[in-house]
Amino acid sequence: MKKNGLVYLMITGIFLGIFSGWMFGTSMLKVEWIGEMFLDALKMLVVPLIISSMIVGIAGLGDIRKVGKTGFIALVYFMVTTCVAVVIGLAMVNIIQPGIAVEMTVEHIPEKVMGKEAVGITDILKSFISPNLFESMAKMEILPLIVFSLVFGAVLTTLGESGKRAIDFFDTVNSAIMKIVHLLMYFAPIGVFALIASKLGAAGGGDLFLAEIAKIGKYVVTVISALLIHGFLVLPLILYVTTKRNPIIYFKNVTAALTTAFSTASSSATLPVTIECAEENNKVSRKASLFVLPLAATVNMNGTALYESVATLFIAQMLGIHLGFGEQVIVFLTATLAAIGAAGIPEAGLVTMVMVLQSVGLPLEGIGMLLSMDWFLDRCRTTINVWGDSIGAAVIDNLEEKWIERGGKA
Ligand code: ASP
């Protein structure tokens, strides 16, 4: 089947999923298993894909200085876009003031974030290294796998002929996994349909959705409009200015990844599709997409950072607590860190938000007010996370090329 045809079917799957979940509510739970199978099949590919991608990506970059330069450009891109996202979030929440006149009706700390109070910066740093790689693989803890594969790949490049043989092995593994992704995409339309229909159904269908929106609708509007500004103005502008690529075409080419992100609410599970779209459709160089995208899916979360800043100010407004400029700077810093620390899995942002709330002394009970809508907003922010990652691959690829051209060498 033509790629475009598949993408149209995926979009149709999303709309049919929304329609069915909205109309038939909990009876759509009957198709939940289909969505879970699709999601599990994607997740099944993530660990071998990340390990082989990072090793091949780093080997493709060549010597360690090139890796350093690409890594540095990636870091700057991640930081700049995340910071801009938080600023947009803060600006919108200050303008719209969605928390004013909303009654705080939840009095307990949600189970999801219970016991997470102690999570701080040192815990985020500690999560980079794992004492047991197999345990990390089993638990799909991506950061330690990335760190290990980076070091492993870099060391392989120094081992001469035998190192090259090992790299060739991982190269073949990577190509095989990408072929499986290709095949799996034929199931994507039905998979995304089932994921959306069953999730909306589990949330009670259209009537309950509307009832929840009525309670915190202004907050939902604030988050979505800020995400749209970032996703449709800022990121495309960065893409155009740095690479001269047409953002509309670029967008069309990553639609499969964006629909997968919206349906799975997981950047990590979407990673196989994100890599496929970057490499195959948008012709980002293989070395850049393999090196940048696994990293980006784990640490670059524009949508999550933006969301955390809006949610924190929303809670403060709801409680009648004024956060001044200094406190908003603290929110800015901690929301950026919390997004870096959030895993690419559903509702991870809600958990790392504990750190942001605590930094300005807000009660964790506030998170309870966000729960009813978080499953939906999670999908929206994950889509922007993946969009930001995809644009990052092209931007970093281009800037790295220019840097090397200008220097004449690495
Ligand atoms: N679900 C998001 C992601 O995977 C993380 C979050 O909860 O914000 O990108």
Side-chain angles (χ1 to χ4, degrees):
M1 191 190 302
K2 283 262 174 58
K3 260 200 195 116
N4 269 349
L6 203 60
V7 170
Y8 291 134
L9 280 179
M10 284 177 80
I11 295 171
T12 312
I14 291 216
F15 280 109
L16 271 181
I18 293 174
F19 176 79
S20 320
W22 190 280
M23 298 301 289
F24 309 123
T26 44
S27 50
M28 287 318 289
L29 283 171
K30 287 194 195 93
V31 297
E32 196 178 20
W33 65 275
I34 303 176
E36 276 174 2
M37 270 183 80
F38 173 63
L39 186 58
D40 287 346
L42 279 173
K43 285 187 187 164
M44 181 174 77
L45 303 175
V46 169
V47 169
L49 183 66
I50 285 192
I51 295 176
S52 59
S53 294
M54 293 309 289
I55 292 173
V56 176
I58 216 156
L61 286 174
D63 65 58
I64 201 75
R65 280 169 307 160
K66 273 194 201 159
V67 175
K69 278 180 182 168
T70 313
F72 175 73
I73 298 172
L75 218 72
V76 171
Y77 172 84
F78 297 163
M79 284 319 289
V80 169
T81 52
T82 306
C83 291
V84 173
V86 178
V87 169
I88 292 174
L90 285 174
M92 291 303 281
V93 75
N94 278 300
I95 295 168
I96 301 181
Q97 307 248 346
I100 305 284
V102 175
E103 201 189 332
M104 168 97 174
T105 49
V106 180
E107 275 158 15
H108 55 272
I109 300 176
E111 227 172 86
K112 249 191 200 106
V113 298
M114 203 84 92
K116 304 283 181 201
E117 292 91 331
V119 176
I121 297 174
T122 47
D123 296 279
I124 292 179
L125 287 177
K126 269 182 76 187
S127 69
F128 279 58
I129 309 282
S130 153
N132 185 339
L133 275 184
F134 290 97
E135 194 183 336
S136 299
M137 289 186 209
K139 289 187 179 161
M140 286 213 13
E141 292 163 351
I142 307 294
L143 266 180
L145 291 184
I146 288 187
V147 172
F148 173 78
S149 312
L150 271 178
V151 178
F152 189 71
V155 169
L156 281 182
T157 59
T158 66
L159 293 185
E161 197 43 46
S162 62
K164 193 177 166 322
R165 278 200 299 278
I167 291 167
D168 284 345
F169 165 78
F170 284 107
D171 201 336
T172 310
V173 169
N174 193 268
S175 305
I177 299 283
M178 289 315 292
K179 271 238 155 82
I180 302 178
V181 175
H182 220 81
L183 293 176
L184 185 59
M185 289 320 286
Y186 286 101
F187 298 94
I190 176 95
V192 298
F193 160 78
L195 281 168
I196 297 283
S198 57
K199 192 70 206 188
L200 183 54
D207 293 342
L208 259 182
F209 186 76
L210 286 181
E212 288 302 336
I213 287 250
K215 280 189 223 153
I216 52 170
K218 248 180 151 183
Y219 163 69
V220 174
V221 169
T222 312
V223 173
I224 292 183
S225 45
L227 287 175
L228 288 176
I229 292 174
H230 188 68
F232 286 98
L233 285 177
V234 177
L235 290 175
L237 195 69
I238 293 178
L239 177 74
Y240 181 73
V241 170
T242 52
T243 71
K244 293 283 172 291
R245 281 178 185 251
N246 181 336
I248 297 172
I249 295 176
Y250 199 86
F251 179 84
K252 250 180 89 186
N253 287 339
V254 291
T255 312
L258 301 181
T259 40
T260 309
F262 186 78
S263 348
T264 60
S266 166
S267 306
S268 297
T270 307
L271 180 64
V273 192
T274 317
I275 293 182
E276 155 119 350
C277 291
E279 228 185 286
E280 295 260 327
N281 304 355
N282 274 323
K283 309 290 175 219
V284 174
S285 80
R286 183 155 186 252
K287 61 178 196 296
S289 39
L290 292 188
F291 176 73
V292 171
L293 288 172
L295 213 61
T298 322
V299 296
N300 183 45
M301 297 200 181
N302 294 178
T304 301
L306 180 156
Y307 173 81
E308 303 215 7
S309 62
V310 174
T312 304
L313 263 85
F314 168 73
I315 291 172
Q317 289 167 358
M318 196 169 49
L319 296 170
I321 298 170
H322 175 72
L323 294 185
F325 182 75
E327 280 150 325
Q328 293 203 24
V329 171
I330 295 175
V331 172
F332 168 80
L333 292 173
T334 46
T336 307
L337 275 175
I340 295 171
I345 54 173
E347 303 200 338
L350 212 58
V351 177
T352 58
M353 215 172 86
V354 169
M355 194 174 118
V356 190
L357 290 179
Q358 284 185 328
S359 72
V360 283
L362 290 173
L364 302 187
E365 283 82 350
I367 296 179
M369 284 297 285
L370 316 174
L371 277 185
S372 63
M373 270 295 131
D374 196 63
W375 69 272
F376 172 66
L377 293 176
D378 188 13
R379 274 146 218 277
C380 303
R381 64 183 187 252
T382 307
T383 310
I384 296 298
N385 288 347
V386 171
W387 178 223
D389 297 348
S390 303
I391 289 187
V395 171
I396 295 159
D397 189 20
N398 200 273
L399 292 182
E400 187 233 9
E401 287 287 321
K402 277 190 192 149
W403 191 339
I404 289 172
E405 264 169 35
R406 219 161 14 111
K409 52 186 186 319

